[in-house]
Amino acid sequence: MVRLQRTENAALIAALNQPIHEHHLQLAPSFFAEYNHASMEAAFSEMMARDDYHFFTAEVGGDIIGYVGFQERVSEANAFRQAVRTLYVHQISVNPEAKRQGYGRWVMEEVERYAIAHGFPSIELDYWSVNEAAAAFYSQIGFQPKRQFVIKHL
């Protein structure tokens, strides 16, 4: 049986974050800090204290195989844009030994069900442009480019 279980265990999420953080560090070493469990736990604790952040562990047969963390983003209309209401996925991670078994797709389907049940018309996320596997995965499950960020190194 596969299920998402809400959690407020920042130490657990920090530990589950280590493989994906180290992957990101390999992709962009000039941007990401070295993994530090205590710092990660503190950061996740701060997020979990907010009402707009939600964290869920992904469990298969009682074993935790990953997690997802997302934020409810709601902003007012202004002179430049209309009001925005979206679910923003900050992190999703499946443990390396559980990858390529459909669990990431399943987790994102659960996030989609959450969004629909709570009246969010969209889900947004970002990934590093050098992360071709992430680009392929998100394209396969229906995500489309919305905006492009560019950088010029000096």
Side-chain angles (χ1 to χ4, degrees):
M1 180 168 111
V2 184
R3 70 184 183 130
L4 281 187
Q5 180 70 35
R6 189 178 198 111
T7 186
E8 294 189 23
N9 185 337
L12 173 62
I13 295 300
L16 293 170
N17 176 264
Q18 186 173 359
I20 194 66
H21 186 84
E22 289 177 349
H23 175 66
H24 290 150
L25 180 60
Q26 287 179 331
L27 291 173
S30 64
F31 182 83
F32 287 97
E34 292 288 329
Y35 177 83
N36 177 287
H37 183 85
S39 296
M40 289 291 178
E41 183 177 347
F44 285 121
S45 288
E46 286 180 25
M47 286 183 255
M48 289 175 177
R50 294 176 48 163
D51 291 337
D52 58 338
Y53 277 83
H54 307 281
F55 289 86
F56 293 83
T57 55
E59 300 179 7
V60 177
D63 293 328
I64 296 173
I65 55 96
Y67 81 98
V68 63
F70 55 84
Q71 179 184 22
E72 297 179 7
R73 287 189 173 174
V74 180
S75 57
E76 305 281 327
N78 62 34
F80 300 99
R81 61 169 173 71
Q82 297 183 31
V84 175
R85 182 171 166 77
T86 190
L87 209 62
Y88 193 89
V89 176
H90 285 281
Q91 293 109 11
I92 176 175
S93 181
V94 174
N95 298 346
E97 65 277 2
K99 285 189 180 288
R100 316 269 330 141
Q101 297 179 43
Y103 297 129
R105 176 182 295 269
W106 176 83
V107 167
M108 290 305 295
E109 288 170 355
E110 290 296 306
V111 170
E112 188 172 327
R113 281 190 266 287
Y114 181 99
I116 291 167
H118 291 86
F120 287 90
S122 63
I123 300 169
E124 296 183 7
L125 53 81
D126 67 82
Y127 54 85
W128 288 86
S129 59
V130 296
N131 193 343
E132 295 174 3
F137 171 71
Y138 291 120
S139 178
Q140 288 173 356
I141 62 173
F143 281 79
Q144 302 169 349
K146 172 185 171 185
R147 193 172 167 185
Q148 181 109 16
F149 288 88
V150 297
I151 186 169
K152 180 178 181 180
H153 292 284
L154 304 176

